[in-house]
């Protein structure tokens, strides 16, 4: 596996490759990330991964400085997965001058759910993804469904900018008890780790109620939030949305059987977890 930090060197290395498949990450790799590499292998060759902790998507109260960085362990994992190139730019490599040009997500998608609670997050995400796509120039890129709103944002951005990159969605990788794997899980204490699967259990409860015919969305969301709070969580949202655009479904759309997803974000202790479940 070649480890490259310079954009020009990366382009030279990938010159002439027509089936490059790309998996961007922020490092601290776990089985969820590695499952993306395995899915990538089915959609192209060579596989390019990147590790870059993107300052642009971290707010003033976020954890940029303490975000776990485990580069050597990550390299060993990627080598075992047959990754061809690891693009690992420094901030100076990727942002040699202040990144004054930014991608501004549309308000109807960018300012709700995660966008409401993390202002500027999606501007930072879409800006760095567009720049990474420009560096790697992949035919295919793989993103996980755990970050459901982010996945939709990147798909929409790629379509509207007519980028020649197909976005492939990977199912959320879970531990045996249902907890979605995340780099931030390492912040959980042992007691919090035991409690953490309750977030996915909450999503399943909402989904089961919807499948049983309950259509009072606001009431289902309110009950789910109260149950999490009663267990010691601090929920930001539990929300039932349409898969197509993440807008709230109307009664007519519910009656017509619109495909739905329930999304949630909540803190347990000092750790904020997100999850979702398609209904």
């Amino acid at each position: 596996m070649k480890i490259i930090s310079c954009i020009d060197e990366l382009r030279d290395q990938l010159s002439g490759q027509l089936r490059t498949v790309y998996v961007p990450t922020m490092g601290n790799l776990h089985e969820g990330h590695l499952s993306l590499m395995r899915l990538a292998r089915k959609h192209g060759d060579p596989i390019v991964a990147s590790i870059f902790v993107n300052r642009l998507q971290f707010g003033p109260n976020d954890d940029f400085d303490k975000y776990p960085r485990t580069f050597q362990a990550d390299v060993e994992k990627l080598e075992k997965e047959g990754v061809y190139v690891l693009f690992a730019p420094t901030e100076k490599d990727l942002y040699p001058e202040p990144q004054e040009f930014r991608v501004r997500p549309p308000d109807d998608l960018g300012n709700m759910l995660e966008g409401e609670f993390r202002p500027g997050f999606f501007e930072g995400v879409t800006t760095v993804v567009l720049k990474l796509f420009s560096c790697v120039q992949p035919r295919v890129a793989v993103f996980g469904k755990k970050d459901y709103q982010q996945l939709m944002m990147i798909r929409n951005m790629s379509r509207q900018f007519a980028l020649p990159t197909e976005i492939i969605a990977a199912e959320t990788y879970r531990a045996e008890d249902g907890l979605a794997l995340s780099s931030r899980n390492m912040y959980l204490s042992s007691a919090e780790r035991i409690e953490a699967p309750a977030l996915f259990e909450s999503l399943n409860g909402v989904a089961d109620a919807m499948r049983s015919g309950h259509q009072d969305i606001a009431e289902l969301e309110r009950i789910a939030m109260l149950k999490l709070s009663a267990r010691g969580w601090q929920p930001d949202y539990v929300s039932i949305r349409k898969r197509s655009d993440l807008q709230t479904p109307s009664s007519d759309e519910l009656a017509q059987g619109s495909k739905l997803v329930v999304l949630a974000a909540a803190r347990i202790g000092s750790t904020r977890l997100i999850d979702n479940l398609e209904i």
Side-chain angles (χ1 to χ4, degrees), residues 116-185:
E116 177 183 350
F117 290 92
R118 302 181 69 184
F121 172 70
F122 285 121
E123 179 179 301
V125 168
T126 50
T127 298
V128 76
V129 169
L130 182 61
K131 192 159 192 176
L132 288 167
F133 280 3
S134 175
C135 296
V136 178
Q137 300 180 21
R139 187 186 67 83
V140 174
V142 180
F143 291 83
K145 281 189 178 181
K146 184 180 78 71
D147 299 290
Y148 205 91
Q149 188 176 4
Q150 173 180 285
L151 171 64
M152 178 172 288
M153 194 81 66
I154 291 166
R155 274 182 162 162
N156 291 359
M157 178 189 75
S158 298
R159 184 183 67 252
Q160 290 192 13
F161 278 117
L163 302 180
T165 301
E166 179 186 1
I167 307 300
I168 300 292
E171 295 298 328
T172 301
Y173 197 98
R174 299 185 181 277
E176 289 186 5
D177 58 7
L179 177 64
L181 294 199
S182 168
S183 296
R184 288 186 169 88
N185 291 351

Side-chain angles (χ1 to χ4, degrees), residues 54-236:
N54 177 41
R55 189 184 296 272
L56 297 186
Q57 70 195 63
F58 285 78
N61 298 318
D62 285 339
D63 53 358
F64 176 80
D65 288 327
K66 71 172 185 175
Y67 192 86
R69 292 160 171 84
T70 55
F71 187 76
Q72 190 54 48
D74 294 343
V75 166
E76 293 171 6
K77 291 174 183 177
L78 293 175
E79 286 178 330
K80 290 178 182 178
E81 294 299 330
V83 170
Y84 175 61
V85 168
L86 169 59
F87 181 43
T90 65
E91 286 192 280
K92 191 66 175 176
D93 289 316
L94 203 60
Y95 301 130
E97 58 185 285
Q99 188 66 38
E100 295 170 342
F101 287 88
R102 305 285 186 96
V103 178
R104 180 185 171 186
D107 290 344
D108 62 345
L109 183 58
N111 291 339
M112 63 175 172
L113 300 173
E114 285 301 284
E116 177 183 350
F117 290 92
R118 302 181 69 184
F121 172 70
F122 285 121
E123 179 179 301
V125 168
T126 50
T127 298
V128 76
V129 169
L130 182 61
K131 192 159 192 176
L132 288 167
F133 280 3
S134 175
C135 296
V136 178
Q137 300 180 21
R139 187 186 67 83
V140 174
V142 180
F143 291 83
K145 281 189 178 181
K146 184 180 78 71
D147 299 290
Y148 205 91
Q149 188 176 4
Q150 173 180 285
L151 171 64
M152 178 172 288
M153 194 81 66
I154 291 166
R155 274 182 162 162
N156 291 359
M157 178 189 75
S158 298
R159 184 183 67 252
Q160 290 192 13
F161 278 117
L163 302 180
T165 301
E166 179 186 1
I167 307 300
I168 300 292
E171 295 298 328
T172 301
Y173 197 98
R174 299 185 181 277
E176 289 186 5
D177 58 7
L179 177 64
L181 294 199
S182 168
S183 296
R184 288 186 169 88
N185 291 351
M186 68 177 295
Y187 299 144
L188 297 169
S189 69
S190 56
E192 290 165 353
R193 176 60 186 85
I194 292 171
E195 169 62 21
L199 186 62
F200 187 50
E201 292 168 11
S202 177
L203 296 178
N204 275 289
V206 172
D208 289 343
M210 291 292 296
R211 295 183 186 115
S212 298
H214 295 274
Q215 296 199 340
D216 188 338
I217 284 177
E219 179 69 2
L220 289 174
E221 292 171 345
R222 185 184 70 84
I223 291 172
M225 295 267 284
L226 287 173
K227 287 182 177 179
L228 284 170
S229 296
R231 297 182 66 120
W233 292 73
Q234 298 172 283
D236 285 340

